[in-house]
Amino acid sequence: MYLREQKKLTARLRAVLRDKFQIELDTIAIEQPPEIKFGEYALPLAFELARKLKKAPRKIAEEIIADLSPLEGFTRFEVAGAGYINARLDRAAAARDIAAGADVPALEAPVHSLVEHTSINPNKAAHVGHLRNAILGDTFVQLLRAAGQKVDVQNYIDNTGVQVADVVVGLMHLEGLSLKDVEALMARLAADGQRIDYYCWDLYARVSQWYNANGDEAVSQERKALRLLTLHQMEQGALHLADAGQKSRETARIAEIISTAVLRRHLETMLRLGIEYDLLPRESEILSLHFWDLAFEQLKTKGVLYFETEGKNKGCWVMKRPGTAQAAQGDGPDEDAKVIVRSNGTVTYVGKDIAYHLWKFGLLGRDFAYNKFFEYPNHTCWISAEHGEPNHPHFGGAQAIYNVIDSRQSDPQANVIEALRGLGYTDQASHYTHFSYEMVALTPRCAEELGYTIAEEDRSRPYIEVSGRKGFGVKADDLIDKLIVATQSEVDSRHPEQSEAERTQIATEIAVGALRYFMLKYTRNTVIAFDFKDALSFEGETGPYMQYAVVRTRSIFRKAGITAEQALADFASVDASPYLAGEEGDGIWQVWLRAAKTTLLLDQCIATAEPAYLAKHAFQLAQEFSNFYRKHHILTEANPERKKFLLATAAITQRELIRSLAWLGISAPEVM
């Protein structure tokens, strides 16, 4: 309702400005007055027009409001201060509209969007930082779908990259295992109920220490050379080169076995948080299906890449930097140019990413083959392949792309966008969004609770960074388990009448809600310091606080002997005007108005790629309902009409909280 009325007001303003002043504005800013008693919308446009019209803002505002009325849904317009225009809704009519149903405006032309998120290197267990990526991405998918967009969810698998190579180095050179030994290891871990992703977590940290060679630089360089050799062998094996040799094929096979097994574990971990995917495109197929060869030809033909013949990048294919020309003879090489193909012929991450994004936009002229990989309750997750099943969904060819990748990857992401522009795909480049975010760290208290020894000087720090290479961090499954255990004891004590399975389900919903909200309430450019106590609190800005607000509304309706839907139906015959007037009415109207803004927040979150705004909205609605609940005794209200109104207030709160939480990926338990 709020967004619809705002659009109606904007359209009327445009007409007034056009007829009265012959002015067309690209955007018209609309704010909310500082206090609800001054109205529902505040317009500062008179200040913007003052210089153009050479009049005082207040005079302009007076002239505008003279032509705004009458406007259906609004009672009056007023000039405030030096020239603000305040607009007042017909509260009773608006309340009927709010109670009638939740409105999500249909898109004039639904967009086909592709959201890539999670994209964990398949070399070890997922950790707490990966959870922020996955939760942000999954929530944004829910928002886009709620707005009517067609969304494909992709999880890019870098199964031929350096991190996987490190684990292969650990298996082959640190552990001394052959391909058969690795196959036997996998069988043994499965028989013993041990997890391959946890095994690789420890191995990855050990390999990182092994590379260091206790400070012996010569040995360290020799060992790190094994990483490059292994990486090269993996790529040769993935390309099925005839001259790859048995060693390369064996190395590539080990990488495939490990990365596929770890990937499956990642999907199982994310499913615990309700996170699902449609497609798992793998780097190995980008290589084997020669995506890069097609992209390489485009890049060379359009002059985006050139071959460097001197300097530190001699023998490499490099990309021109934006705003620079290729160095003329005698000028010397551009030492800062981005290397896309190394002198040994291997393609960098950015190069493969350019090819991948040409496919995403349907600009490559080639497609993956596809195989079924993972079954969700309601759909299948597919994986890229060289030779696949004949009947599969269509992937790629998106109109808009959102890549959820941490802020440290800003430069590579910018390189891909510049490559698209250089190729002439300017429209696609403008619809390519790097959905960046900052890291997740641990509070010192949280690190100690997890069993880590914290140096005295670190105890006073706001957070401690995690490091997979050092083995310092929180495995995602361990974190989820610990949150559930912490919640379970509270649920068990409060609801002994429930079955064990029911109590576990409630504890899981609370734990997942706490984790997801904690990751979403901070804006993306904020470093998060995770803390168990803060996340699980039933007070303050937490997931459990909002879940409890829904539980409270359900308790109200159980005791009243009606449903929330019945309460809204009963409200249709109530004249709400007396209950929305005066100071007391302002307080109750604040709850209704907040509930009416859910669709507005959906619109804002998509426009800014910032789910934190919806998280804040849900918290504020829960908070305002809590204030309302303390002041008004709903169940003991003697006036039948007023009681219907108060019950309707609880009903619209419940509806909008459940809807907002669902878009955040948070369920609302029946009891807590």
Side-chain angles (χ1 to χ4, degrees):
M1 183 283 300
Y2 188 86
L3 179 60
R4 187 183 67 246
E5 296 304 292
Q6 178 173 298
K7 289 181 176 179
K8 183 193 298 183
L9 176 59
T10 301
R12 183 55 169 269
L13 282 166
R14 289 189 188 283
V16 170
L17 294 178
R18 186 168 51 248
D19 295 343
K20 199 174 192 72
F21 304 114
Q22 293 75 55
I23 288 176
E24 294 280 356
L25 294 179
D26 293 334
T27 59
I28 295 178
I30 298 184
E31 305 168 359
Q32 184 171 321
E35 295 183 55
I36 195 70
K37 64 183 180 181
F38 297 128
E40 288 72 37
Y41 305 94
L43 301 102
L45 81 161
F47 298 99
E48 181 181 346
L49 297 173
R51 181 176 297 178
K52 186 176 296 187
L53 297 177
K54 295 182 172 55
K55 294 181 182 179
R58 188 173 180 87
K59 177 64 175 175
I60 296 171
E62 290 170 349
E63 293 180 18
I64 290 173
I65 67 170
D67 288 358
L68 278 177
S69 297
L71 183 59
E72 184 184 4
F74 290 82
T75 56
R76 64 182 184 275
F77 301 93
E78 303 165 343
V79 179
Y84 270 92
I85 297 173
N86 288 342
R88 294 180 180 273
L89 285 170
D90 180 337
R91 291 184 177 182
R96 287 194 300 273
D97 202 11
I98 295 166
D103 59 323
V104 175
L107 297 175
E108 293 180 6
V111 175
H112 176 198
S113 296
L114 191 159
V115 178
E116 176 193 327
H117 68 78
T118 307
S119 303
I120 308 170
N121 292 311
N123 68 321
K124 65 181 187 304
H127 60 61
V128 63
H130 297 136
L131 292 180
R132 186 178 197 186
N133 182 309
I135 290 169
L136 278 170
D138 180 66
T139 301
F140 198 65
V141 168
Q142 306 311 317
L143 296 175
L144 291 174
R145 286 177 173 164
Q149 293 193 22
K150 179 184 182 298
V151 186
D152 288 340
V153 186
Q154 299 192 2
N155 179 357
Y156 181 77
I157 310 304
D158 185 4
N159 61 334
T160 62
V162 172
Q163 287 77 13
V164 173
D166 285 341
V167 171
V168 175
V169 167
L171 291 167
M172 298 181 71
H173 299 283
L174 192 57
E175 299 288 321
L177 303 182
S178 65
L179 173 57
K180 287 187 177 180
D181 294 332
V182 171
E183 291 171 339
L185 170 66
M186 295 291 295
R188 186 170 66 253
L189 290 174
D192 294 343
Q194 297 183 49
R195 297 173 46 159
I196 183 61
D197 55 336
Y198 278 31
Y199 175 89
C200 291
W201 175 285
D202 296 331
L203 179 61
Y204 183 65
R206 287 170 52 212
V207 170
S208 298
Q209 295 169 0
W210 183 70
Y211 284 146
N212 186 49
N214 293 321
D216 187 324
E217 187 61 27
V219 175
S220 178
Q221 290 302 317
E222 181 181 333
R223 290 177 177 177
K224 288 179 180 178
L226 283 173
R227 169 197 277 170
L228 297 178
L229 174 62
T230 300
L231 187 64
H232 190 56
Q233 290 173 336
M234 286 164 53
E235 289 192 3
Q236 285 186 313
L239 286 165
H240 308 299
L241 298 179
D243 61 350
Q246 179 62 30
K247 193 65 175 179
S248 290
R249 288 192 290 272
E250 180 172 325
T251 301
R253 178 59 183 153
I254 290 173
E256 181 184 359
I257 290 172
I258 295 300
S259 62
T260 302
V262 171
L263 169 59
R264 195 171 292 278
R265 283 294 314 130
H266 289 169
L267 299 190
E268 291 168 354
T269 298
M270 296 306 163
L271 185 56
R272 299 181 70 185
L273 301 175
I275 298 171
E276 303 178 2
Y277 311 92
D278 298 314
L279 174 65
L280 310 170
R282 293 188 297 185
E283 187 172 287
S284 54
E285 277 73 52
I286 289 178
L287 292 170
S288 64
L289 294 172
H290 302 285
F291 278 25
W292 167 246
D293 294 344
L294 296 175
F296 195 22
E297 286 306 313
Q298 289 194 44
L299 291 163
K300 288 189 293 185
T301 301
K302 295 293 181 67
V304 179
L305 298 185
Y306 65 93
F307 187 74
E308 185 57 82
T309 58
E310 55 183 315
K312 70 174 186 178
N313 294 330
K314 181 179 180 180
C316 300
W317 284 90
V318 298
M319 188 168 76
K320 290 190 299 187
R321 287 181 294 152
T324 64
Q326 183 175 337
Q329 189 172 5
D331 289 348
D334 180 0
E335 299 287 354
D336 295 325
K338 182 66 180 179
V339 174
I340 302 300
V341 183
R342 303 181 186 95
S343 58
N344 66 359
T346 58
V347 184
T348 63
Y349 168 83
V350 172
K352 287 176 278 193
D353 214 24
I354 292 170
Y356 174 41
H357 282 85
L358 288 173
W359 170 83
K360 280 185 178 182
F361 279 121
L363 302 171
L364 193 64
R366 184 166 296 174
D367 197 3
F368 295 107
Y370 302 94
N371 284 319
K372 294 178 180 178
F373 185 77
F374 196 89
E375 291 296 328
Y376 293 113
N378 298 311
H379 81 285
T380 299
C381 177
W382 295 74
I383 194 166
S384 63
E386 291 181 64
H387 308 286
E389 301 180 29
N391 299 316
H392 61 78
H394 173 71
F395 297 105
Q399 297 166 284
I401 288 172
Y402 299 90
N403 289 336
V404 186
I405 302 175
D406 76 55
S407 58
R408 291 169 292 185
Q409 297 300 314
S410 293
D411 284 343
Q413 288 289 294
N415 292 145
V416 177
I417 294 172
E418 287 305 321
L420 289 171
R421 288 201 179 100
L423 289 168
Y425 301 128
T426 53
D427 182 61
Q428 287 82 357
S430 67
H431 289 88
Y432 181 124
T433 300
H434 175 201
F435 194 104
S436 65
Y437 64 95
E438 288 294 338
M439 68 175 180
V440 180
L442 304 177
T443 64
R445 177 174 65 185
C446 182
E448 288 186 313
E449 288 179 5
L450 289 164
Y452 291 106
T453 301
I454 306 300
E456 191 61 39
E457 61 269 21
D458 289 335
R459 293 178 186 276
S460 59
R461 293 175 56 190
Y463 59 81
I464 302 173
E465 295 183 30
V466 299
S467 171
R469 290 194 177 276
K470 296 178 182 178
F472 177 79
V474 188
K475 300 182 187 73
D477 279 301
D478 287 351
L479 174 61
I480 296 169
D481 289 342
K482 192 172 181 64
L483 287 167
I484 292 173
V485 168
T487 308
Q488 184 81 55
S489 58
E490 185 70 20
V491 173
D492 288 346
S493 64
R494 291 188 181 200
H495 300 285
E497 76 286 356
Q498 301 271 2
S499 69
E500 182 178 351
E502 289 172 329
R503 295 197 305 272
T504 299
Q505 177 62 31
I506 294 168
T508 301
E509 290 182 32
I510 296 171
V512 170
L515 178 57
R516 289 191 66 119
Y517 190 81
F518 195 88
M519 293 295 182
L520 292 168
K521 71 176 182 177
Y522 299 97
T523 53
R524 293 185 287 113
N525 61 356
T526 304
V527 174
I528 293 178
F530 187 82
D531 187 276
F532 289 107
K533 184 177 180 181
D534 291 345
L536 283 172
S537 174
F538 277 54
E539 298 299 326
E541 192 176 354
T542 67
Y545 176 82
M546 289 177 297
Q547 289 174 315
Y548 186 71
V550 177
V551 169
R552 177 177 278 168
T553 63
R554 286 178 171 151
S555 175
I556 291 170
F557 294 119
R558 278 197 302 271
K559 292 175 181 177
I562 64 170
T563 65
E565 292 73 21
Q566 288 172 321
L568 291 175
D570 291 344
F571 176 70
S573 63
V574 175
D575 177 11
S577 301
Y579 314 125
L580 293 171
E583 186 175 341
E584 184 177 273
D586 285 345
I588 302 176
W589 176 238
Q590 183 67 57
V591 178
W592 284 80
L593 189 62
R594 181 74 63 189
K597 291 182 179 179
T598 304
T599 301
L600 174 68
L601 268 296
L602 173 67
D603 193 65
Q604 288 179 349
C605 287
I606 292 173
T608 60
E610 183 54 85
Y613 298 146
L614 179 63
K616 177 67 73 174
H617 165 75
F619 169 66
Q620 289 173 330
L621 178 55
Q623 195 175 42
E624 285 162 359
F625 177 75
S626 179
N627 293 335
F628 159 81
Y629 180 79
R630 285 196 300 268
K631 293 178 181 177
H632 304 281
H633 303 291
I634 301 173
L635 296 174
T636 58
E637 172 59 49
N639 183 325
E641 293 297 289
R642 179 175 170 77
K643 185 173 183 177
K644 289 178 182 179
F645 169 72
L646 296 178
L647 284 168
T649 305
I652 60 107
T653 299
Q654 182 187 104
R655 185 188 67 198
E656 296 307 310
L657 267 180
I658 290 175
R659 183 162 70 139
S660 297
L661 291 176
W663 292 344
L664 297 172
I666 300 172
S667 61
E670 288 296 324
V671 296
M672 287 179 67

